[in-house]
Amino acid sequence: MKRFGALFLMLCFSLCISFTATSQDEEATKGYKFTDKVEVKYTPVKNQHRSGTCWSYSGLALIESDMLKEGKPEINLSPMYIVRNAYSDKATKYVRFHGNLNFAAGGSFYDVIETIKRYGIVPEETYPGLNYGEDMNVHGELDEVTKAYVDAVIKNKNRKLSTAWKAGFDGILDAYFGAKPETFSYNGKEYTPESFVKSLGVNLNDYIYISSFTHHPFYEKFIIEVPDNWAFGEVYNLPLDIFMSIFDHALENEYAIAWASDVSEKGFSYQNGLAIVPEANIDEMNDSEKLKWTSLSTKEKENQLYSFDKPGKEKTITQEMRQEAFDNYSTTDDHGMLIVGIAYDQDGNKYYKVKNSWGTNDKYNGFFYASEAFVRYKTMSIMINKNALPKQIAKKLNLK
């Protein structure tokens, strides 16, 4: 009996080890495993918190990254200085259009560059824009108040505008963001917002905007038709494959890319740090698996496709698919981010590494990975330094 008991214990121990090893192997193969192959320089991840100001954070992040590329010191520019000035200009235009224009928190990369050209820029420490009892951006009240104000100005019964309305609006902005600094000290030197721009040594005319849609001619500019483009900023229009060739060329030459994209897709998962466009791999299914797949409801199929358990087949994205998604509102202008690298998963599939502005309390500490298919499909537009373009594209666009 003792010998049998010993053998039984050994068998149990062996099975336990085998089960543990199997579980570990399954765990090791679960999920996505990324290896960064290309990575540009960038400043720390910021947090826009409860505000619709991603466009300002990501637009400035590109400038900060380009400065690091040129060997300049790290600096964090003030997103709220941009937002405060853009809100003021947006209000003027909204009133001039009698309210027939989008007036909301959103904006575009174009706003960042044009605002700096007009009003200069300051470091974030000089103008945090938190003058309303919060430690982080909380813009719900601000957005409601400013929208109500400009609507009241337009609807007023005086039949004409007063000379006071704009000063009143700017007073609201000063109350929430703080008064704009006329001068400030930084690293022991005195600056104005305008002189500080000059000290940065950044050529704002180097920044261009590019997209890829068929409802306008290729290799020409057009005003991209998205609600947040209140300033009517223009983008260059390129065929999709040529457009995508810019991404790798820029990153491999140490240039980041400001990226405007749709993140309302089921394939975008904040929790998993991932953005994909999965497709059922019917060709690799046996007959019984195909039969089971075809019998599933749409919701059941989506639950399987978007499980994020491991890399799988993704859709092949065409120019026509992009256009259709844009035209039927399934691709929308949701979020501005910064692409900072190229990575590959354990199966050799390519992704772009994205710096977000939602803080660092997520899987990849403020970053996520967007598959090549997702970027091809859901990119609305990009802002890039024109020096990051391949020479033949720059020549085609008359930029060199």
Side-chain angles (χ1 to χ4, degrees), residues 175-189:
Y176 281 91
F177 292 107
K180 295 191 296 181
E182 295 183 5
T183 62
F184 61 94
S185 178
Y186 183 73
N187 288 343
K189 295 183 179 180

Side-chain angles (χ1 to χ4, degrees), residues 8 13 15 17 59 66 83 87 96 105 108-109 128 144 202 244 249 256 269 299 306 323 360 371-372 379 383-384 391:
F8 180 74
F13 182 69
L15 289 171
I17 291 176
D66 282 355
V83 171
Y87 271 34
R96 288 192 183 279
S108 70
F109 303 136
E144 291 291 334
V202 174
M244 288 303 302
H249 185 273
S269 173
K299 185 174 183 179
Y306 299 105
Q323 189 67 41
T360 57
S371 71
E372 187 173 26
T379 298
M383 179 171 75
I384 197 168
K391 290 182 179 179

Side-chain angles (χ1 to χ4, degrees), residues 11 14 32 85-87 91 111 141 210-211 219 274 290 350 353 387:
L11 178 60
S14 177
Y32 287 68
N85 284 297
Y87 271 34
D111 301 343
E141 181 180 293
I210 309 175
S211 192
Y219 300 105
L274 193 62
K290 288 180 181 178
K350 186 165 76 174
K353 185 174 183 179
N387 296 303

Side-chain angles (χ1 to χ4, degrees), residues 10-198:
M10 289 178 64
L11 178 60
C12 288
F13 182 69
S14 177
L15 289 171
C16 182
I17 291 176
S18 176
F19 178 77
T20 301
T22 300
S23 299
Q24 289 174 343
D25 288 342
E26 290 177 352
E27 187 63 30
T29 58
K30 188 177 181 181
Y32 287 68
K33 314 296 179 185
F34 294 109
T35 301
D36 296 341
K37 294 295 185 181
V38 175
E39 190 172 64
V40 304
K41 295 178 180 178
Y42 49 80
T43 52
V45 172
K46 314 299 194 303
N47 192 347
Q48 69 186 76
H49 201 47
R50 288 155 55 190
S51 71
T53 58
C54 57
W55 51 275
S56 183
Y57 279 88
S58 49
L60 289 178
L62 177 60
I63 296 173
E64 294 167 357
S65 175
D66 282 355
M67 289 179 63
L68 291 176
K69 178 188 180 300
E70 298 300 321
K72 296 173 182 176
E74 179 180 301
I75 185 170
N76 295 306
L77 301 173
S78 171
M80 291 304 112
Y81 183 81
I82 298 294
V83 171
R84 187 253 179 256
N85 284 297
Y87 271 34
S88 181
D89 287 348
K90 188 183 302 186
T92 298
K93 196 163 191 176
Y94 182 77
V95 171
R96 288 192 183 279
F97 273 74
H98 297 236
N100 295 305
L101 186 77
N102 190 52
F103 187 91
S108 70
F109 303 136
Y110 178 86
D111 301 343
V112 175
I113 300 302
E114 294 306 309
T115 299
I116 296 175
K117 287 180 180 179
R118 181 174 293 188
Y119 301 105
I121 190 62
V122 301
E124 186 169 23
E125 63 191 64
T126 298
Y127 196 79
L130 296 168
N131 202 41
Y132 47 94
E134 298 285 353
D135 295 327
M136 300 178 71
N137 302 321
V138 181
H139 284 187
E141 181 180 293
L142 167 69
D143 292 339
E144 291 291 334
V145 168
T146 52
K147 179 63 162 61
Y149 184 97
V150 289
D151 283 341
V153 168
I154 293 167
K155 295 175 183 177
N156 83 81
K157 298 180 180 180
N158 295 336
R159 298 185 180 180
K160 67 175 184 178
L161 301 183
S162 74
T163 58
W165 86 262
K166 189 60 193 303
F169 185 84
D170 288 339
I172 293 172
L173 297 180
D174 287 347
Y176 281 91
F177 292 107
K180 295 191 296 181
E182 295 183 5
T183 62
F184 61 94
S185 178
Y186 183 73
N187 288 343
K189 295 183 179 180
E190 291 291 319
Y191 296 97
T192 66
E194 294 79 9
S195 68
F196 190 66
V197 174
K198 294 179 180 178

Side-chain angles (χ1 to χ4, degrees), residues 276-330:
I276 56 175
V277 191
E279 180 175 63
N281 200 349
I282 304 294
D283 294 338
E284 295 185 6
M285 294 181 184
N286 60 37
D287 290 342
S288 62
E289 288 172 333
K290 288 180 181 178
L291 182 62
K292 182 179 179 181
W293 175 259
T294 56
S295 67
L296 295 176
S297 67
T298 300
K299 185 174 183 179
E300 289 171 331
K301 287 179 180 178
E302 287 181 348
N303 288 339
Q304 286 195 24
L305 284 174
Y306 299 105
S307 63
F308 303 102
D309 285 338
K310 61 181 179 180
K313 184 178 180 181
E314 294 201 54
K315 290 181 180 179
T316 300
I317 307 302
T318 66
Q319 185 85 65
E320 293 72 23
M321 290 171 64
R322 268 184 60 83
Q323 189 67 41
E324 181 181 0
F326 179 74
D327 288 342
N328 67 21
Y329 296 174
S330 63

Side-chain angles (χ1 to χ4, degrees), residues 345-393:
D345 68 20
Q346 63 266 43
D347 291 343
N349 302 306
K350 186 165 76 174
Y351 298 77
Y352 292 99
K353 185 174 183 179
V354 183
K355 175 187 170 185
N356 208 346
S357 55
W358 294 348
T360 57
N361 294 323
D362 53 14
K363 186 170 184 177
Y364 298 112
N365 303 312
F367 297 83
F368 70 90
Y369 292 90
S371 71
E372 187 173 26
F374 189 95
V375 174
R376 283 179 67 92
Y377 194 24
K378 293 298 172 177
T379 298
M380 295 294 293
S381 64
I382 62 173
M383 179 171 75
I384 197 168
N385 191 309
K386 68 180 183 181
N387 296 303
L389 295 176
K391 290 182 179 179
Q392 64 273 24
I393 297 177

